Amino acid sequence: TSLFHKALTIDPGCITALCHLGHQQECHYNDPAQAAQQYRKAIALRPSEGMPHYALATVLQDRLADPVGARRSFLRAVQLQPSSVEARIDAARQLLSAGEARASR
């Protein structure tokens, strides 16, 4: 088991560990579906945190071909973290690719 699994045995509500597990699943084990599941667990635990919404959006867009889900998650990330330049840029790109130029401004 990884350190992130150990962290979750100590604190099952640790969204940082869940997000790191998601990243590990996506990047090291090439399992984007499992990554998305970890991000969704983090969102369920703390829906007001922007980081897991952004991470979910990127995996949905880049790896799981779910533009609708990605758009929803990017927009939620921007709502929760309006100062996140990355979230704003990626949300705008996603909206532009979906033909929603007015909403991306």
Side-chain angles (χ1 to χ4, degrees):
T1 44
S2 72
L3 291 176
F4 304 120
H5 284 102
K6 289 179 184 178
L8 289 169
T9 61
I10 295 167
D11 179 6
C14 182
I15 67 163
T16 301
L18 286 168
C19 287
H20 281 289
L21 276 175
H23 180 75
Q24 189 177 52
Q25 290 295 326
E26 180 183 1
C27 297
H28 298 288
Y29 298 111
N30 196 31
D31 191 346
Q34 183 63 33
Q37 183 178 350
Q38 297 301 328
Y39 299 140
R40 286 185 175 111
K41 284 181 188 178
I43 290 167
L45 287 169
R46 261 196 235 138
S48 62
E49 285 288 328
M51 178 181 53
H53 289 278
Y54 180 74
L56 177 61
T58 59
V59 79
L60 291 174
Q61 176 177 277
D62 298 341
R63 304 290 303 279
L64 295 175
D66 180 358
V68 174
R71 178 173 45 249
R72 184 174 40 248
S73 293
F74 276 132
L75 292 175
R76 185 68 180 136
V78 169
Q79 284 178 331
L80 295 170
Q81 288 183 286
S83 63
S84 171
V85 174
E86 294 88 358
R88 294 178 77 77
I89 288 171
D90 287 341
R93 284 182 181 152
Q94 211 287 325
L95 290 167
L96 286 170
S97 71
E100 298 180 35
R102 183 177 285 199
S104 69
R105 294 182 193 155

